Every structure is written in structure tokens, then in C-alpha cells.
Amino acid sequence: KRVRADPKLANGFNAFGLSQGNNIIRGYIAKYNDPPVRSFLSICGINAGVAAFPHCSPKTPVVGIVCEVLTEVLGDLAYNPLVQSILFQANYFRDPTKTNSTPYLRHSELAKWNGETGEDMSAHKANWAKTQRFVWVMGTEDTMVWPREGEHWAAPTDKYPKDLSALPMKQTRWYTEDTFGLRTAEEAGKNFFETFKGEHIRFTEAELQQWLFKHFVF
């Protein structure tokens, strides 16, 4: 309502988000996008979800084992409808071992946005198509988000936890089946990918200015 009520935004606007703040923008695009986001700059976004708690990569010796147990114990709670309604962080937790489970598919907000539930996604796709440019920025040394490649729409493989590699965007189900419009955007030349060397959102002011100028002023 605030966005629609602002006359300065009536003809559309650019938006950029940091970390979990990107899901607010993504949610707006998916559900409304009226007035439309013209260009969306996602920096270290958890748009594809996270498969582990912060700094809890299963690739890390010892710590990874502890984190795996922690994820198994607390992960079930993430898909409780009450938890989903009050804890924003639970909305983007995507346990690779539970993506076919009823609680995840029925209650996860991320599952709905990703088009994993089998629901009609035509409205979401139409809204996604209103945005002219998507810029996905990944920190190459990010340990807050796992897998960090998820900032570029990658995801854990079906062989997790035996295989801890990340499935590239174009091999994910949400891309191959174009569940919410990601592939359509890619084929239309709307997706752009950037990286910076550093930890989670630890980019420089010069890098930010470069992205803004390159993708917002074109």
C-alpha cells in the first residue's frame, strides 16, 4: 500500500537489497510488482534459500558435523506454520533432505515462491516478467550463506549430504521447468551475474557504485 501510494514510484523504480533483505523485494515482485521494480540488484541474496545455518557449512571439518546435527534437530521446526508466520529466517531455510516433504511443500514460503508446490504460478510469472533487469551478486568467500552459489540461484544436489557440491542454476528444477520465470528472464537477457572477492556483504563502496551505475543507469 505504501509503495502504491507514493507518487514518486508510480512509473516504477529500481531496488537493491542486502542479504535477507532481498527476500522482501523478491516477495514484492512475486506477489505484486505494481508499480514494477524496473531493475533489481540482489547483493548476497538468499533468494534460492539457505541449506545451513550461518557460518555452518557442512564442508567445514568438525564444525560441519556439529552443524549437520543442529540442522537435523532444528530444521523440522522451520516448517511449522507458526514458525513460518513469525520467524522471517525460517521462510528461506531450505533443507535439501526435506524439499519433497509435506511440511516443506505445504508451509514453506520459499517453496511457494520457487514454484515447488505444484500450485498455479501464472500470476507470479507475469509479475516476474514486469522487471526489466535482475542482477545477482555473489561474495566468493561468503560463509554466511550455504551454498554461497545460491546467490547465483544454484542449489544443493539430490545426492546431498554425500555430495556437497552446488547444482548450477541452469540445472535446477526452478530453471529447467521455469517454475516462476527465471528461465524466461534468462532467455530474454534480463539476468546479470556479478561477484566480488570477500565475505558476506563485505563489498567496497567502489564496487557498489560500479554495480549501481552499470545496472541502474543504462
Side-chain angles (χ1 to χ4, degrees):
K1 291 182 179 180
R2 289 185 179 181
V3 173
R4 288 178 176 173
D6 191 333
K8 296 180 181 178
L9 305 178
N11 295 319
F13 57 96
N14 298 324
F16 82 85
L18 304 175
S19 190
Q20 62 184 6
N22 287 287
N23 267 16
I24 297 175
I25 302 172
R26 184 194 176 186
Y28 173 82
I29 292 175
K31 294 182 178 180
Y32 312 107
N33 217 12
D34 179 25
V37 173
R38 290 193 296 261
S39 294
F40 173 26
L41 173 61
S42 168
I43 304 175
C44 295
I46 36 70
N47 301 295
V50 295
F53 292 101
H55 305 298
C56 233
S57 168
K59 290 184 176 181
T60 307
V62 182
V63 173
I65 297 175
V66 174
C67 290
E68 189 175 327
V69 174
L70 182 65
T71 299
E72 183 175 350
V73 173
L74 299 180
D76 289 333
L77 296 175
Y79 308 128
N80 178 287
L82 177 61
V83 174
Q84 283 283 315
S85 67
I86 62 175
L87 186 61
F88 183 63
Q89 289 80 1
N91 292 164
Y92 57 82
F93 179 65
R94 188 175 184 274
D95 185 338
T97 66
K98 295 181 173 63
T99 53
N100 292 319
S101 69
T102 297
Y104 174 75
L105 296 174
R106 181 174 295 174
H107 302 301
S108 169
E109 190 69 28
L110 185 70
K112 296 176 183 177
W113 289 352
N114 285 349
E116 298 178 89
T117 66
E119 297 179 9
D120 180 15
M121 294 293 288
S122 55
H124 285 70
K125 286 186 175 182
N127 287 336
W128 199 262
K130 294 176 185 177
T131 295
Q132 300 170 11
R133 178 175 293 221
F134 298 93
V135 187
W136 314 108
V137 181
M138 178 182 74
T140 59
E141 298 175 0
D142 197 333
T143 60
M144 183 71 71
V145 175
W146 191 84
R148 68 172 65 95
E149 294 85 357
E151 296 168 10
H152 278 176
W153 289 105
T157 71
D158 293 337
K159 297 179 181 179
Y160 173 91
K162 291 184 178 180
D163 181 2
L164 298 179
S165 64
L167 196 67
M169 178 189 77
K170 291 188 177 181
Q171 295 179 33
T172 61
R173 177 173 167 246
W174 49 66
Y175 183 88
T176 58
E177 298 182 15
D178 200 25
T179 55
F180 62 87
L182 185 64
R183 192 184 73 200
T184 296
E186 176 71 9
E187 292 174 347
K190 293 183 175 182
N191 285 330
F192 296 83
F193 299 88
E194 302 280 1
T195 61
F196 68 92
K197 186 178 181 180
E199 252 288 2
H200 191 65
I201 63 173
R202 294 294 188 264
F203 50 88
T204 66
E205 183 178 348
E207 287 170 324
L208 176 60
Q209 291 179 349
Q210 180 184 16
W211 299 328
L212 292 174
F213 184 80
K214 179 179 178 181
H215 297 291
F216 283 7
V217 184
F218 62 93

